[in-house]
């Protein structure tokens, strides 16, 4: 099935999601903030968050790679990094219930953004689209995203389209000043005829959607 166009370079993003044992989340996050510099010494961390609403006891982190050879080299180096293996991995893995990873590209019309200031909250929205990829639903989806951007209440950070994992999945990362600011903006957007029309056109290609409110950890580059 056609996946449509993507960026011309080999850069991709690995999206990792971990389910943490409910009684161990505080301990896990403390270890991340204490020892994660061993991991970020090997490759670029885009952001690291834990879930607040929409999912429980989950952490999300995104890594940037130049190409697949780059990722292979990084994974090999990590396997041989004693500090990383002994101080973090050996202690953290018993706190983890499940791991999931995906490889995704930024859609061609999106550049990775940053919030206007530190603080605030992030929203991770996962859309499961109909098979066919952006060649089928890309323009309608882009129009719906732009309609929300044009309301001005939210900041787009990135739109990621899966290459490995569940296909035809799009993850959209937004930033808002606060959950209440986001709620007020959403209420206004629902009354905006431009947003309503764009969403109505895009939803024809939608199979499911999940929203998660995320809080950045101390070591996250995106705060």
């Amino acid at each position: 099935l056609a996946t449509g166009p993507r960026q011309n370079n080999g850069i991709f993003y690995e999206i990792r999601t971990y389910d943490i044992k409910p009684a161990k989340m505080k301990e896990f996050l403390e270890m991340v903030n204490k020892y994660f510099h061993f991991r970020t010494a090997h490759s670029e961390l885009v952001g690291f968050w834990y879930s607040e609403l929409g999912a429980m006891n989950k952490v999300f982190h995104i890594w940037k790679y130049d190409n697949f050879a780059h990722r292979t080299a990084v994974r090999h180096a990590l396997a041989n990094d004693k500090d990383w293996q002994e101080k973090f991995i050996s202690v953290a893995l018993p706190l983890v219930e499940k791991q999931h990873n995906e490889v995704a590209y930024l859609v061609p019309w999106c550049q990775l953004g940053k919030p206007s200031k530190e603080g605030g909250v992030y929203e991770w929205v996962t859309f499961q689209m109909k098979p066919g990829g952006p060649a089928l639903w890309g323009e309608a989806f882009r129009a719906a995203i732009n309609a929300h951007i044009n309301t001005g209440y939210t900041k787009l950070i990135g739109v990621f389209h899966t290459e490995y994992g569940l296909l035809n999945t799009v993850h959209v990362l937004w930033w808002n000043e606060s959950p209440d600011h986001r709620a007020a903006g959403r209420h206004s957007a629902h009354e905006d005829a431009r947003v309503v029309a764009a969403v109505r056109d895009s939803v024809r290609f939608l199979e499911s959607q999940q929203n998660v409110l995320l809080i950045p950890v101390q070591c996250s580059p995106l705060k």
Side-chain angles (χ1 to χ4, degrees):
L1 296 177
T3 57
R6 62 173 175 82
Q7 63 210 31
N8 293 323
N9 56 43
I11 292 173
F12 67 84
Y13 298 83
E14 183 176 6
I15 301 166
R16 288 186 163 238
T17 307
Y18 296 171
D19 286 26
I20 309 302
K21 294 179 180 178
K24 299 297 184 179
M25 178 63 86
K26 183 175 183 292
E27 182 180 349
F28 182 85
L29 293 178
E30 287 174 348
M31 289 194 59
V32 167
N33 288 323
K34 185 174 182 180
Y35 294 118
F36 223 61
H37 62 281
F38 294 125
R39 175 61 184 86
T40 55
H42 291 277
S43 65
E44 182 179 347
L45 175 66
V46 174
F48 196 127
W49 306 264
Y50 63 90
S51 60
E52 179 71 10
L53 296 171
M56 298 183 69
N57 302 301
K58 284 183 179 288
V59 296
F60 297 75
H61 38 123
I62 304 175
W63 300 90
K64 180 180 179 181
Y65 292 103
D66 296 335
N67 48 48
F68 289 97
H70 179 209
R71 181 185 183 275
T72 298
V74 169
R75 300 302 298 174
H76 179 77
L78 287 169
N80 291 283
D81 186 325
K82 290 186 177 181
D83 283 331
W84 174 243
Q85 294 295 328
E86 295 175 4
K87 294 181 179 179
F88 185 84
I89 292 295
S90 63
V91 182
L93 278 184
L95 312 181
V96 178
E97 288 192 328
K98 186 169 61 176
Q99 295 174 288
H100 176 70
N101 76 330
E102 298 169 287
V103 166
Y105 294 100
L106 279 173
V107 297
W109 44 269
C110 174
Q111 299 294 320
L112 195 62
K114 292 183 178 180
S116 55
K117 59 183 178 181
E118 287 193 2
V121 295
Y122 291 78
E123 184 178 9
W124 183 253
V125 188
T126 299
F127 299 91
Q128 186 59 43
M129 308 300 290
K130 292 184 182 298
L136 174 66
W137 42 256
E139 288 304 313
F141 189 88
R142 180 180 184 179
I145 294 296
N146 285 336
H148 283 87
I149 293 172
N150 292 338
T151 63
Y153 80 89
T154 187
K155 167 71 175 178
L156 179 65
I157 303 300
V159 181
F160 305 88
H161 176 223
T162 56
E163 182 77 5
Y164 288 99
L166 186 59
L167 296 184
N168 297 292
T169 301
V170 184
H171 300 291
V172 183
L173 183 61
W174 301 95
W175 177 87
N176 288 280
E177 292 184 9
S178 70
D180 286 320
H181 184 263
R182 183 260 184 198
R186 289 284 293 177
H187 180 76
S188 297
H190 290 161
E191 297 180 345
D192 188 315
R194 297 167 300 174
V195 175
V196 172
V199 170
R200 183 180 291 123
D201 187 42
S202 177
V203 79
R204 296 181 294 121
F205 306 105
L206 179 65
E207 294 192 340
S208 66
Q209 176 181 340
Q210 182 180 17
N211 295 33
V212 182
L213 187 72
L214 300 178
I215 308 297
V217 303
Q218 181 181 330
C219 68
S220 177
L222 286 173
K223 287 187 171 59

